[in-house]
Each structure stands twice: as C-alpha cells, then as structure tokens.
Amino acid sequence: MNMLECHGLTKCYGKVTALDNLDLTLESGRIVGLLGPNGSGKTTLIKLATRLIQPTKGSIMIAGQLPGHATKAITSYLPDREYLPNDLRVKSLLGLYRDFYRDFNEKKALDMLESLDISERMELKKMSKGTKEKVRLILTMSRDAKIYLLDEPIAGVDPAARDYILRTIIQNYSEDALVIISTHLIADVEAVLDEAVFIRQGKLILHQTVDEIRQETGKSVDEHFREVFRC
Amino acid sequence: MKWIFLDGIPIYQQIVQIMQIRIANGEYPLGSRLPAVRDLAMEAGVNPNTMQRALSELERSGIVHSERTSGRFVTEDEESMRQLRFMLGKESIDAMFTSLGHLGLSKEEIVQAVTARANELDE
C-alpha cells in the first residue's frame, strides 16, 4: 500500500524554495532513509506530511488521504527538536501519550523503559541528552502507528545509544507500517534501511533500495552519497 | 562469526555468507531451528526485509528449509553440508594457490607440499 505519495510537491518560504516539484511514493513495510545535506528539504517534507505546514503547490497524501485529523491518528512523529515539557516525569509523559493517542501501547513503552533502567519517577530535565533521546524514541515507537516519521533520531547521541535506537526501530515497526528516518549520518543507518531517498535543494536526486545502490555502484550508500553531494 | 558488513557489496549477500559459515561451523547445528527473522535482524542490526531476503536465498540453495508454521530449519542432509564446506573452503584454497604460485611453486608442487604437510601434522 502507498503510505506516502507526493505529486509535484512544492514548498516555498518567501523567495526560498525548500521543496521543488517532488514526486515520491513510499510503500508500507519499508524502512526508508531520507538523506540529504543540511537545508536540503528533509524536515520540510516531514512537516508537510504531519500538516505542520501546507504545500505551496502540488499534493501530499498519507495512506490515500490528505494530511489532517485522520492521518495524524496513524502518524507517529519524532521532531528534530525538544518537544516534550522538560519538567515532566516519565510517568506523566506516559499519561500524556495515553491521553493523546489511541494507538499508544503503554506496555511496550514500559518494557523498553525497564530494559534501559529508566525509572518512571525520573524527570526529563535531569536526564542526559542520550537518555532523553531514547525516551522520546520509545514514546514514538510505542505507538502502533502506520507511518513513523523520525527526524534526525540519532543526531547528537553516542554510538552505543545510536545502536540501541536503531535496534528499537527494527524491533518495533510493524510490517504494515512505513518508517521514514531522516538523517545525514548515513553510515550508521545504512544496514537498517530498505530504501534510500537522496534529496538536494528540495529536488529528488535518487530513490533506490540500499542493496541496488551497493550492487550498482560497488560502494556503500554512505560513499555514494559523499560522491553525489561532493561540495 | 560476527556481523560485520563491508562496503559496496549488497548486505543480503554478506548475510548469506555469514549464515553459511555459521551453519558450516556448527553454530547452527544440523537439523536445528534458526532464530526468527526479526530476532536475527535485531542481532545483526539489519533491516528485517534484508534478513528475510538472505534466508530465502539460503532456502533456495537447499541449506535451510522452512516448515509452514514452525519456522526455518538447517538441513539434516550430510551431503549438502559437505558441499557447503567445500564451497566455503574453495576461496581459501584459491588464495593459497595464488600466494604459493607467486613463490614460484607449480600446482603439482603445491599439492605435494600440502599432502606432505598434512602427514606431518598427523604425526
């Protein structure tokens, strides 16, 4: 099933074109890397998918519908910045997710928190950056959603935490869901991805499976990316 | 055999090779059940679809077979196991011929030397 479908999708901020006539279709059951340098339009695409912003031209559809109430109910979004109240304890955060999202699987969240020795009494602001990032990811992945939009989930955490985060993604996505991971840390996510989408200056440069890229170029996706985007 | 992936080679092909080695060296014994796709994917840190593709490849080659409901099993056939070991060993043998060839030894001399060495090691 087509979980995300863009046709001629364009977003301008004043005179700046952040996304430029993008055609892209992504299917369920896949983990897709949204890859591009800073300012290439990755976050803009994700924000359009969550209806935080609206297209200037063209269309974007989530599971066959325009972004809105219905699609928000099936979209689990991890923003690239802090979005949870810093003075809340884990227990209240769980309550927040329980109240907001019908598909929140609290047991899943509790199991993951326990495996990391994160107590429900812990306050977000007293956690290290890596632990905070893990808590956010746990909350995001504990929803039984149809589309997961993870904006830079591994930026700014150490390699061990990265590993944990990626394994959590593999373990928790369901086979009828689409996971989109935006990042510029390609070497770290490469093995986890089905497909890679390269964008530059708001334009689609490449959309292929990771193994096709490796087969055809004789290089890793990371190396290929460095060549395509050489400054 | 650890899960370490090289650049520029499809990941599923590398998984196939690692699984073949694990089966040949008895880490997954003859007739035993393989872990579930998702567990293997987690362990290897790879996409479950990629792991699935690698396991299908192993099935095609006859080294593993799947039972409709109970999962995937390593073959119980000694002969296909023997073939697998020879297939995996071929690369090392080729490398040996190449490096000894560089030393100026002929194929016959290499075979003689290997036999002689095998006898010495037996003693």
Side-chain angles (χ1 to χ4, degrees):
Chain A
M1 178 180 184
N2 291 347
M3 285 307 299
L4 182 134
E5 220 177 323
C6 308
H7 292 291
L9 185 64
T10 302
K11 177 68 188 177
C12 305
Y13 297 109
K15 279 184 182 159
V16 180
T17 306
L19 272 189
D20 193 355
N21 204 17
L22 191 79
D23 290 314
L24 179 67
T25 302
L26 301 175
E27 287 169 28
S28 53
R30 302 303 181 96
I31 303 180
V32 179
L34 184 57
L35 314 174
N38 295 324
S40 55
K42 305 188 293 287
T43 297
T44 300
L45 178 58
I46 287 177
K47 283 183 172 171
L48 286 164
T50 51
R51 206 171 185 264
L52 286 173
I53 54 176
Q54 301 224 41
T56 309
K57 261 196 308 209
S59 69
I60 180 165
M61 305 277 261
I62 304 295
Q65 290 176 289
L66 289 171
H69 288 301
T71 67
K72 283 180 187 187
I74 57 166
T75 304
S76 193
Y77 168 45
L78 180 70
D80 64 343
R81 58 194 65 197
E82 300 209 0
Y83 64 100
L84 294 167
N86 230 336
D87 52 354
L88 287 188
R89 292 177 197 276
V90 171
K91 195 176 171 53
S92 319
L93 291 172
L94 291 170
L96 200 68
Y97 266 68
R98 197 189 312 128
D99 291 343
F100 267 95
Y101 304 111
R102 206 174 290 171
D103 61 1
F104 182 55
N105 186 335
E106 192 165 0
K107 168 142 196 333
K108 210 184 215 181
L110 287 168
D111 287 347
M112 283 194 268
L113 289 166
E114 198 191 319
S115 73
L116 283 177
D117 272 327
I118 299 173
S119 147
E120 279 188 63
R121 298 213 320 277
M122 242 168 125
E123 272 178 86
L124 208 51
K125 66 179 171 206
K126 291 189 181 150
M127 293 176 190
S128 71
K129 194 168 176 181
T131 305
K132 261 191 215 178
E133 200 62 51
K134 285 180 200 162
V135 168
R136 285 191 209 118
L137 187 88
I138 286 172
L139 290 170
T140 311
M141 294 309 294
S142 292
R143 286 185 55 197
D144 296 322
K146 291 277 178 267
I147 173 165
Y148 297 89
L149 300 168
L150 313 176
D151 199 355
E152 298 283 0
I154 55 169
V157 300
D158 63 66
R162 255 174 226 182
D163 212 45
Y164 176 83
I165 287 172
L166 292 173
R167 276 165 213 271
T168 304
I169 295 170
I170 300 173
Q171 192 180 22
N172 289 292
Y173 93 104
S174 65
E175 269 141 41
D176 55 352
L178 166 68
V179 180
I180 298 178
I181 305 174
S182 111
T183 186
H184 51 257
L185 300 165
I186 301 169
D188 289 307
V189 299
E190 193 164 334
V192 169
L193 304 178
D194 285 292
E195 299 168 17
V197 170
F198 284 11
I199 57 174
R200 173 169 52 196
Q201 292 172 349
K203 287 195 170 77
L204 184 72
I205 301 288
L206 172 149
H207 177 199
Q208 264 186 315
T209 72
V210 165
D211 274 350
E212 273 168 11
I213 294 173
R214 286 174 160 251
Q215 184 102 59
E216 283 172 21
T217 64
K219 297 189 183 79
S220 65
V221 176
D222 185 49
E223 279 175 292
H224 188 51
F225 180 90
R226 283 167 204 262
E227 263 177 28
V228 171
F229 291 99
R230 182 163 291 148
C231 299
Chain B
M1 191 70 194
K2 296 268 280 171
W3 300 101
I4 294 166
F5 300 107
L6 305 173
D7 288 350
I9 305 167
I11 292 165
Y12 87 93
Q13 285 175 4
Q14 300 187 56
I15 297 173
V16 166
Q17 204 182 8
I18 292 173
M19 291 298 287
Q20 283 172 335
I21 293 170
R22 286 181 166 202
I23 289 169
N25 71 17
E27 199 172 332
Y28 300 129
L30 239 73
S32 69
R33 202 177 104 171
L34 291 179
V37 174
R38 194 168 290 231
D39 293 337
L40 279 172
M42 281 271 289
E43 191 197 315
V46 302
N47 185 293
N49 295 325
T50 311
M51 183 57 75
Q52 176 69 45
R53 184 170 176 198
L55 294 176
S56 307
E57 200 72 26
L58 288 169
E59 259 179 53
R60 241 195 306 283
S61 71
I63 296 301
V64 309
H65 58 94
S66 64
E67 303 277 326
R68 196 170 283 272
T69 51
S70 43
R72 276 196 184 74
F73 294 83
V74 178
T75 180
E76 289 173 37
D77 180 23
E78 299 271 4
E79 180 51 31
S80 24
M81 208 55 138
R82 220 173 68 88
Q83 281 174 13
L84 174 67
R85 294 204 172 97
F86 274 109
M87 197 267 285
L88 290 169
K90 210 169 164 189
E91 222 171 281
S92 311
I93 294 172
D94 289 352
M96 182 183 73
F97 270 106
T98 309
S99 72
L100 293 180
H102 285 318
L103 289 178
L105 292 175
S106 71
K107 273 189 196 136
E108 291 71 27
E109 286 171 319
I110 294 169
V111 172
Q112 278 171 18
V114 169
T115 315
R117 186 69 185 135
N119 290 335
E120 276 173 37
L121 290 172
D122 277 343
E123 280 160 20

